[in-house]
Structure formats: structure tokens, C-alpha cells
């Protein structure tokens, strides 16, 4: 399927001219369709669509120069089974995307390990998620089963809404390692899985919780094997995930969590001089915490949040050995812009010396810095300029720092 890029770009920038004429109260560019959208929602059918466009330009330090772009059109729908079949608390969720771009993996163009954005990969049109979800016991117990984003369930970065870089906006790269790592499925490469969550209270923002999951790793290839998302086979090996956490509300909203992934498969032993040697299983553990540090207004709508996250994986079978992430997010940094967000984040990746020796590479640590500012020009259109710096690209201390200028636009249809 081919979509005219000029059409997509028109969809992206059309709101700039429409801002003077649109109803500012609408959360969607296309409005309510004469009440149809509301009628469907009241009938138990919800649908939403958005388009994200990322543009990056190398300021200095990268092997190649020039502006690059990547875009994603995403549609998600939910069906309330309580209204249709009388199954209390149950829904079916289904979603699909079309994505396109220039130099699909831009980290390769800039010759860095991190992804400058969360949406870049390769061009395709595919079904993503398809799952049955249900909450029981007034919301204290819940489960989902189907094609699921495993890493978003176990390792998702919190306070992420002001960032564009993968490590700060989605999950640490040590958790998301296609073809290596523990190979939990990730968006938009969801695979078969199941998640069960129990929390001690009915309020999800004031509770302790335990969450477990089981996922198909699809022969260590959870992403590239299925071009349209319509492959529903199971090929193993199985991966497991566990997370314990606590959340507390109030003027100082806070959370803390620890978790782990475990894969029962076999991996090349990077510490061995013999390339045929294998080690059984792989794992990653992580811990994170965050808190609202300051309030800018009495209503608590404007505030400053901070979080840290640490992750570990054994270096004899992974590229990433440890990662540390810290970020600050200011929601409503200016009184006259209460919906804007300002983000500052740092990622330190400690890379495996075993991997470096095995592949004859000069690598140690890679450092990432992002400064980003997101503003809503209307309820349905946001624009987010930013700046990224990658010191020691690919962990190579002999390389110059890579500096990137970035821009993201998001339209909610």
C-alpha cells in the first residue's frame, strides 16, 4: 500500500491554516461529525486517530548531513463488550498504523545507538494490537490477552510526554533490544501475550500493584517477521515479565517500581572466544521512581515532575549492560501557557565490553541529552521543537558529539 507523501504532509500542516477557523473547544480536527462520534462512544464504540511527523536535522557530528523525516498515521478502536454482550468490564481493543519516512532507521544515518524518536523504523501498513481486556473486583484485578505491547507493560518510561527520543519517551533501549535482549514484543510489533495485574485499591493512582506477563518472542524476531501484522502464529521461546509498584496521589504525586524480564531461549556467549558457544536464558532488571517536585499553581495543574530509572542486563549476552536515565518535566512552565510542557532528560548507556571485543569495536559509554518544548496550538494540534546531543556516539570516545535539531507535530483527528 502506497500513500502519497504530499497528502500526509498536507494533513500534518493543514491545522496551521485551520487554527483561525476551527472550533477551539474541539479535541479533534474533524470535530464530532454532527454528533456521530459522541453517539458511537455512547453506544460502546470508541475510535481515535492521530498523525505524528518527526523531522530531524544534523547540526554537526554525524557522518551524513541533511534533514530527515519520519511519520506515522495511527488508528485505534475499542468495543465495550458490556454494552454488546453483557460482559462486565470487558473491552476489545484493535489498532493499526501506516508509517513512512526517509532513512527509516535514522540512528544508522546519524551513526548513534539511540533512536532520535519513538516512531522511526521502516515503512509498512500493519495491524498492531488486538486484545481482550477486562477489569474485575471494582478494578482491583485486570487482565489482557492477545497481541500486546509487552515492553510498555513492563518498563515504560514515566513522565515521558515532553520528549521525542526513544529512551526518554518510551522505554530504555536495554529493555528494547530487537534480535538480542529478552525480546518482549513492542509497538508496533505486538505478539501473542497475556498480562494479569492485581492492585490493592480501586484507585489506580493510590495503590500498590503486582503485574505478571507471558509473551511469544517469535524466534528472537518480534518485529521484522510480520509485514502486515496478520501473522497469528506462536513460535516461542517464551518470555516472562514481572513488575511490583506503588503509586501515591496528592500535592506530591509519586511512584516507585521494580521489574524484570526473563527469556528461556539460548544466546551467543559474548565472553567466549568460540563463536559457537551458547548461554541459556537472558534477563533484564529495572527500577524506577518519580515524584512531583514542585507545584506552580494552587490547582496542581501546573507542576514540576522528576524521575530516575536504572536497568541492568548481563554483558556476556547483550549489547547494553547498564543504563541510567534521569528527567525533569515541567507541565505549564508559564502561567499563560498552562498546557505546555518543557522537558530535560539525560541517558547514560554502559555498553558491554564483551560485545565490543567480539565485534572489534571501540565502545564504552554513550551519553544522550534532550531538551524539548511541546505546545498545543489548539486542542487537537501540538508542535514540539527540540534539541538532542549524543556524546561518545556508539560509545566511541574518539568521535565528535552529534548534535541534532528535532521537530515533532501531532494531530488528533
Amino acid at each position: 500500500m502506497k500513500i502519497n507523501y504530499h497528502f500526509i504532509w498536507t494533513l500534518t500542516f493543514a491545522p496551521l491554516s485551520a487554527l483561525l477557523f476551527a472550533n477551539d473547544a474541539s479535541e479533534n480536527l474533524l470535530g464530532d461529525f454532527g454528533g456521530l462520534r459522541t453517539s458511537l462512544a455512547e453506544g460502546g464504540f470508541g475510535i481515535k486517530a492521530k498523525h505524528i511527523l518527526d523531522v530531524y536535522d544534523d547540526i554537526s557530528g554525524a557522518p551524513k548531513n541533511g534533514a530527515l523525516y519520519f511519520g506515522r498515521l495511527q488508528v485505534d478502536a475499542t468495543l465495550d463488550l458490556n454494552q454488546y454482550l453483557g460482559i462486565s468490564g470487558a473491552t476489545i481493543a484493535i489498532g493499526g498504523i501506516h508509517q513512512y519516512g526517509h532513512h527509516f532507521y535514522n540512528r544508522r544515518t546519524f551513526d548513534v545507538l539511540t533512536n532520535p524518536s519513538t516512531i522511526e523504523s521502516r515503512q509498512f501498513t500493519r495491524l498492531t494490537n488486538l486484545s481482550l481486556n477486562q477489569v474485575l473486583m471494582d478494578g482491583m484485578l485486570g487482565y489482557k490477552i492477545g497481541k500486546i505491547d509487552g515492553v510498555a507493560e513492563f518498563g515504560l518510561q514515566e513522565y515521558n510526554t515532553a520528549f521525542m527520543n526513544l529512551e526518554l519517551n518510551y522505554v530504555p533501549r536495554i529493555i528494547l533490544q530487537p534480535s538480542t535482549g529478552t525480546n518482549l514484543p513492542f509497538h508496533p510489533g505486538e505478539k501473542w501475550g497475556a498480562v494479569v495485574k492485581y492492585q490493592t485499591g480501586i484507585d489506580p493512582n493510590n495503590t500498590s500493584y503486582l503485574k505478571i506477563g507471558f509473551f511469544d518472542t517469535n524466534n528472537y524476531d518480534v518485529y521484522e517477521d510480520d509485514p502486515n501484522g496478520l501473522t497469528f502464529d506462536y513460535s516461542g521461546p517464551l518470555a516472562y515479565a514481572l513488575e511490583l509498584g506503588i503509586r501515591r496521589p496528592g500535592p506530591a504525586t509519586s511512584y516507585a517500581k521494580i521489574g524484570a524480564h526473563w527469556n528461556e531461549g539460548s544466546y551467543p556467549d559474548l565472553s567466549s572466544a568460540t563463536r559457537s558457544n551458547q548461554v541459556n536464558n537472558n534477563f533484564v532488571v529495572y527500577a524506577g521512581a518519580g515524584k512531583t517536585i514542585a507545584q506552580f499553581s494552587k490547582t496542581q495543574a501546573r507542576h514540576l515532575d522528576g524521575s530516575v530509572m536504572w536497568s541492568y542486563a548481563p554483558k556476556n549476552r547483550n549489547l547494553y549492560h547498564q543504563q541510567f536515565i534521569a528527567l525533569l518535566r515541567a507541565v505549564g512552565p508559564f502561567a499563560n501557557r498552562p498546557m505546555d510542557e518543557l522537558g530535560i532528560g539525560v541517558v547514560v548507556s554502559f555498553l558491554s565490553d564483551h560485545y565490543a571485543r567480539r565485534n572489534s569495536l571501540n565502545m564504552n559509554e554513550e551519553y544522550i541529552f534532550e531538551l524539548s518544548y511541546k505546545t498545543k496550538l489548539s486542542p487537537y494540534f501540538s508542535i514540539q521543537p527540540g534539541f538532542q546531543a549524543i556524546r561518545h556516539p556508539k560509545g566511541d570516545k574518539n568521535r565528535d558529539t552529534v548534535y541534532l535539531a528535532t521537530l515533532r507535530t501531532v494531530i488528533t483527528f
Side-chain angles (χ1 to χ4, degrees):
M1 177 179 179
K2 293 184 178 180
I3 294 182
N4 190 312
Y5 292 167
H6 296 291
F7 173 69
I8 295 294
W9 281 76
T10 301
L11 288 178
T12 301
F13 291 107
L16 290 174
S17 60
L19 288 174
L20 296 176
F21 308 101
N23 177 6
D24 286 342
S26 174
E27 294 291 331
N28 305 287
L29 172 65
L30 301 179
D32 199 29
F33 294 106
L36 178 60
R37 190 192 298 266
T38 299
S39 177
L40 288 172
E42 291 174 349
F45 181 74
I47 187 168
K48 58 183 180 180
K50 68 177 179 181
H51 180 263
I52 306 172
L53 177 69
D54 287 351
V55 180
Y56 348 74
D57 200 355
D58 162 56
I59 299 173
S60 68
K64 298 179 182 179
N65 297 314
L68 307 173
Y69 66 87
F70 202 85
R72 173 180 289 177
L73 179 63
Q74 181 171 339
V75 180
D76 293 286
T78 57
L79 186 68
D80 186 347
L81 295 184
N82 184 38
Q83 295 201 39
Y84 288 92
L85 299 176
I87 305 176
S88 177
T91 58
I92 289 178
I94 185 171
I97 66 169
H98 172 78
Q99 56 186 32
Y100 63 94
H102 180 238
H103 295 297
F104 305 138
Y105 290 96
N106 291 303
R107 71 178 186 275
R108 298 175 184 173
T109 301
F110 299 127
D111 202 26
V112 297
L113 286 177
T114 184
N115 278 7
S117 96
T118 52
I119 67 170
E120 64 182 40
S121 58
R122 57 182 175 83
Q123 178 173 309
F124 51 62
T125 302
R126 73 193 291 174
L127 175 73
T128 53
N129 60 296
L130 177 61
S131 63
L132 169 65
N133 315 273
Q134 188 175 19
V135 292
L136 305 165
M137 299 169 55
D138 294 325
M140 295 175 62
L141 179 65
Y143 71 87
K144 60 176 63 176
I145 184 169
K147 297 186 74 168
I148 302 173
D149 179 355
V151 299
E153 294 285 343
F154 299 91
L156 183 68
Q157 191 68 273
E158 310 254 354
Y159 302 155
N160 58 354
T161 54
F163 298 95
M164 182 170 160
N165 189 283
L166 174 82
E167 317 271 349
L168 296 163
N169 180 264
Y170 184 34
V171 294
R173 187 75 181 175
I174 193 173
I175 291 175
L176 175 63
Q177 294 192 65
S179 301
T180 59
T182 53
N183 284 276
L184 260 67
F186 58 92
H187 185 72
E190 286 88 335
K191 297 295 178 188
W192 285 115
V195 177
V196 178
K197 179 180 179 181
Y198 173 76
Q199 59 188 45
T200 57
I202 61 175
D203 183 356
N205 295 313
N206 186 19
T207 188
S208 303
Y209 67 88
L210 167 66
K211 184 162 52 173
I212 58 175
F214 309 89
F215 301 94
D216 175 25
T217 61
N218 208 74
N219 288 320
Y220 316 105
D221 187 357
V222 297
Y223 192 67
E224 300 290 353
D225 70 301
D226 187 4
N228 54 23
L230 299 177
T231 301
F232 294 95
D233 64 326
Y234 172 87
S235 54
L238 192 65
Y240 313 86
L242 171 73
E243 184 174 292
L244 292 164
I246 184 170
R247 297 185 184 278
R248 292 292 179 259
T253 301
S254 61
Y255 77 89
K257 62 183 179 181
I258 58 173
H261 302 175
W262 175 277
N263 193 317
E264 63 183 18
S266 297
Y267 292 80
D269 184 358
L270 302 178
S271 64
S272 172
T274 305
R275 289 185 174 268
S276 60
N277 282 4
Q278 299 280 311
V279 288
N280 292 326
N281 308 316
N282 198 3
F283 68 90
V284 60
V285 295
Y286 60 88
K291 184 177 181 178
T292 297
I293 300 171
Q295 297 286 349
F296 301 143
S297 65
K298 294 181 180 180
T299 64
Q300 301 180 21
R302 301 174 52 235
H303 48 87
L304 177 67
D305 306 317
S307 72
V308 294
M309 192 168 185
W310 169 84
S311 308
Y312 168 88
K315 61 183 178 180
N316 68 335
R317 64 200 80 179
N318 296 282
L319 167 59
Y320 291 83
H321 175 43
Q322 295 187 71
Q323 278 194 295
F324 177 78
I325 298 175
L327 61 87
L328 290 171
R329 178 190 66 175
V331 177
F334 306 107
N336 62 339
R337 303 294 305 175
M339 301 299 293
D340 290 1
E341 296 183 40
L342 172 66
I344 301 174
V346 177
V347 182
V348 184
S349 299
F350 299 89
L351 307 170
S352 166
D353 53 355
H354 294 321
Y355 183 94
R357 287 195 299 268
R358 169 65 65 87
N359 295 279
S360 302
L361 300 173
N362 178 26
M363 58 168 50
N364 198 341
E365 299 94 21
E366 183 181 69
Y367 300 84
I368 303 158
F369 169 83
E370 180 175 357
L371 174 66
S372 183
Y373 189 89
K374 181 170 70 174
T375 182
K376 279 196 170 185
L377 299 182
S378 79
Y380 54 78
F381 179 70
S382 67
I383 188 167
Q384 181 179 345
F387 169 81
Q388 295 182 28
I390 301 94
R391 186 169 180 260
H392 300 165
K394 281 192 170 180
D396 189 344
K397 295 182 179 180
N398 297 322
R399 285 184 56 192
D400 294 335
T401 300
V402 175
Y403 297 99
L404 304 176
T406 62
L407 178 68
R408 168 170 284 181
T409 62
V410 180
I411 305 172
T412 302
F413 293 103

